[in-house]
Amino acid sequence: MTKKYATLCLALMSFAMARAEVIVSSPDGRISVDFEMKDGKPTYSVLYDGQVAIAPSALGLKTNMGDYTQRLKWDKEKERTGEQHGSYVLPSLKEGQEHNFKMNTAILQFSQRERPVMEVEFRVSNRDVAFNYTLLPQRDTRSCVITEEASAFRVADNALTFMAPQSNPMTGFARTMPSYETKYTLGEPVGKNGWGNGYTFPCLFEVPNADKEKALWILVSETGTDGDYVGCRLLGGNGGEYRIGFPMEGELNGWGCTSVQMALPGKTPWRTITVGHTPANIIETTVTWDLVEAKYPASKDYSKDYGKGMWSWIIGMDSSCNFDEQKRYIDFAAAMGYRSLLVDALWDVQIGRERIAELSRYAQSKGVGLYLWYNSNGSWNDAPQSPKGIMNNPYERRKEMKWMQEIGILGIKVDFFGGDKQPMMQLYEDILTDANDYGIMVIFHGCTLPRGWERMFPNYVASEAILASENLHFSQGFCDAEARDCGTMYPFTRNAVGSMDFGGSALNKYYSASNNRGSRRITSDVYALATAVIFQSPVQHFALAPNNLTDAPAYAIDFMKTVPTKWDEVRFIDGYPGKYIIMARRAGDKWYIAGVNAMDTPVKQTLPLPMLEGKSTVSLYQKDGVKPVKVTKKQTVKVEIPTNGGFVIVK
Ligand code: CA
């Protein structure tokens, strides 16, 4: 679409919406935010190339100081516009090189009974719209409770959804839900409300259009949440309208309220809307991190300890968590040149603290560092695995972390959290903050979505917050749908907004130590290699097993030895959630172009790959091996992705 045409569309649209006015546009002018007051209610909408992405939707907060969703006056003369730009380096991200961002901003002020009560700030980049609220103190009132957030997102009625239903609280294994472990919808129409509780972030919408170039892809999420707010979800059930929901009463076993306690003036987290005609902006967005800042300085350079690792639990389960087997995995990690080994649940009883210290010394002698698993409990669910009662206790936690530092532990994986209420969000923050004092990196499992945490907490590594590899062990049905529900879904959704601890890329044929029984992997070996590129986390604990040194193809083992976990750039090439994905990541001067396919028929494509400029041959991993292939003069490469298979091109 030409710029002129876009402007014309925009003009027509503004005309159609009569009283709404553009308050801020993206630096390239393609995204704009319209605003209007409707009977005292603030309402915004988002346009992309003149097309409506978010139709007029509500803004506002309900608090115990007042209802700031209605009877508001827009103090138009107080509007402040400006620009936010900056740069940062975050090697833990999908775009780890010096990253520059630029956003145009507008701050709107609202008053009630002649007193300013609330501000809404919009920030608009070339890919994203974000907004948050500032609540202002009233006379002697310097704290408040937010009981409800009215923020809504109305998408077109013909939009299709790709989103994970919020589970019922206190359900699932040992009543550990919600833990962001439900299956994404596959293009379901709008209008439902999940299983009755809405959906967890991020939420992806496609607005199809007969003219493909006018299709819209919209990702709604939030960022900047810490112990000062609750984790929110998206409630549906009203056509294309979705709105912010606070946690459910039953979370945390019913303890703690669902509202937010806030000091004034106070800011809410950011609501983010990423939009484009293809999913490219969604896969490449950095809005989650552009909007936040570090909450404390790093106590050391964590990035030098990022890298590959493994864990025995995914193949060997609880019984593998013994001294001899962990030692065997340390030798395996060393043979692979990996940086770490994750020692999973029950190490405190099956190995013991003294021998963990011995194991850690042994690992370090081989250049391998250990991660130790902890149960976050607590009183919020019934998960019995130990060690427990440590990470939820400030004194025990710090004592434990001091011990870990003394014996050279690299990091922790803390599991089985209790939902998104404010005290639970505070626990995440407390664990991270304390761990940084002892130079410990943190991975969360059975947990909430990270919301900008890679930048806010420098020792934060990644979270599960997804149906992850453990389900491949537990269920053949999950294995059968792995390409559809994981490989071709997560890059468009969960992994677009945060480092994801999936723990996959198994090369065993079966999820068992004997490798001849248990659930069977139906994805190919090259699929495993491709997802090592497609799934992003600065620390990857792969589901490899020592027997893979002899029973897996040599090309696959060699690839898994060298695949990076730190990336400098990401690009979407082609794909559709639940069907197939082709994307590229760059590490230094090396490009990895990877794809996987969940459809019944192979994907055959001649890929234009401008990043291969100046290269005549590349290594192509495809079907059962790797071979050098010629790059055509037009910088294209022909690829074929079989059903449940993958490909990787390495330049
Ligand atoms: Ca889990």
Side-chain angles (χ1 to χ4, degrees), residues 17 135 143 149 199 233 398 535 612:
M17 292 169 53
L135 282 175
S143 65
E149 188 173 321
Y199 304 89
R233 63 198 153 118
R398 292 183 66 86
F535 294 163
L612 298 183

Side-chain angles (χ1 to χ4, degrees), residues 63 122 125 169 244 280 340 370 414 461 474 503 511 534 612:
T63 79
F122 286 97
S125 76
I244 291 284
S340 67
L370 299 186
V414 190
V461 172
F474 295 143
Y511 284 88
I534 289 169
L612 298 183

Side-chain angles (χ1 to χ4, degrees), residues 176 179-181 313 413 415-416 444-447 464-471 474:
T176 53
S179 51
Y180 290 60
E181 294 175 69
W313 187 87
K413 167 179 161 180
D415 208 338
F416 298 134
F444 293 124
H445 262 238
C447 58
E464 188 183 30
I466 195 77
L467 277 171
S469 64
E470 58 192 16
N471 299 284
F474 295 143

Side-chain angles (χ1 to χ4, degrees), residues 134-183:
T134 302
L135 282 175
L136 304 171
Q138 299 300 311
R139 296 195 173 88
D140 293 336
T141 306
R142 296 177 203 96
S143 65
C144 79
V145 172
I146 306 173
T147 52
E148 214 179 299
E149 188 173 321
S151 313
F153 310 83
R154 177 176 277 283
V155 298
D157 286 341
N158 68 327
L160 302 173
T161 70
F162 304 86
M163 35 200 209
Q166 174 64 304
S167 53
N168 280 314
M170 306 306 290
T171 56
F173 170 73
R175 300 195 297 163
T176 53
M177 302 283 237
S179 51
Y180 290 60
E181 294 175 69
T182 67
K183 191 169 105 67

Side-chain angles (χ1 to χ4, degrees), residues 421-537:
K421 287 179 178 174
Q422 197 168 351
M424 196 51 38
M425 302 311 281
Q426 188 64 53
L427 180 63
Y428 288 105
E429 180 167 359
D430 291 345
I431 291 172
L432 285 160
T433 308
D434 282 350
N436 181 56
D437 287 349
Y438 298 97
I440 307 274
M441 296 196 278
V442 181
I443 295 172
F444 293 124
H445 262 238
C447 58
T448 195
L449 179 78
R451 291 157 164 94
W453 294 359
E454 293 87 344
R455 193 167 174 204
M456 291 160 72
F457 308 109
N459 55 323
Y460 169 82
V461 172
S463 298
E464 188 183 30
I466 195 77
L467 277 171
S469 64
E470 58 192 16
N471 299 284
L472 297 167
H473 188 119
F474 295 143
S475 146
Q476 184 61 48
F478 196 80
C479 284
D480 294 344
E482 181 186 359
R484 186 193 67 194
D485 291 341
C486 306
T488 61
M489 181 58 77
Y490 298 167
F492 295 99
T493 50
R494 165 67 180 85
N495 211 182
V497 299
S499 298
M500 180 178 77
D501 194 44
F502 184 79
S505 293
L507 290 172
N508 259 26
K509 296 211 177 331
Y510 292 86
Y511 284 88
S512 66
S514 63
N515 200 11
N516 60 13
R517 60 182 165 77
S519 53
R520 186 174 65 89
R521 177 170 61 94
I522 68 153
T523 50
S524 73
D525 291 341
V526 179
Y527 174 97
L529 312 189
T531 51
V533 175
I534 289 169
F535 294 163
Q536 178 270 327
S537 169

Side-chain angles (χ1 to χ4, degrees), residues 9 15 26 41 178 195 209 216 278 381 383 481 572 596 601:
C9 286
F15 179 72
S26 56
K41 295 178 181 171
W195 303 344
N209 196 305
L216 286 176
T278 73
N381 59 48
F572 170 76
V596 293
T601 49

Side-chain angles (χ1 to χ4, degrees), residues 22 27 52 116 212 313-314 319 323 331 372 395 411 479 493 499 524 543 555 645 647:
V22 179
V52 177
K212 233 186 152 187
W313 187 87
I314 183 64
S319 67
F323 187 90
D331 292 339
L372 297 182
Y395 174 75
C479 284
T493 50
S499 298
S524 73
Y555 77 86
F647 83 91

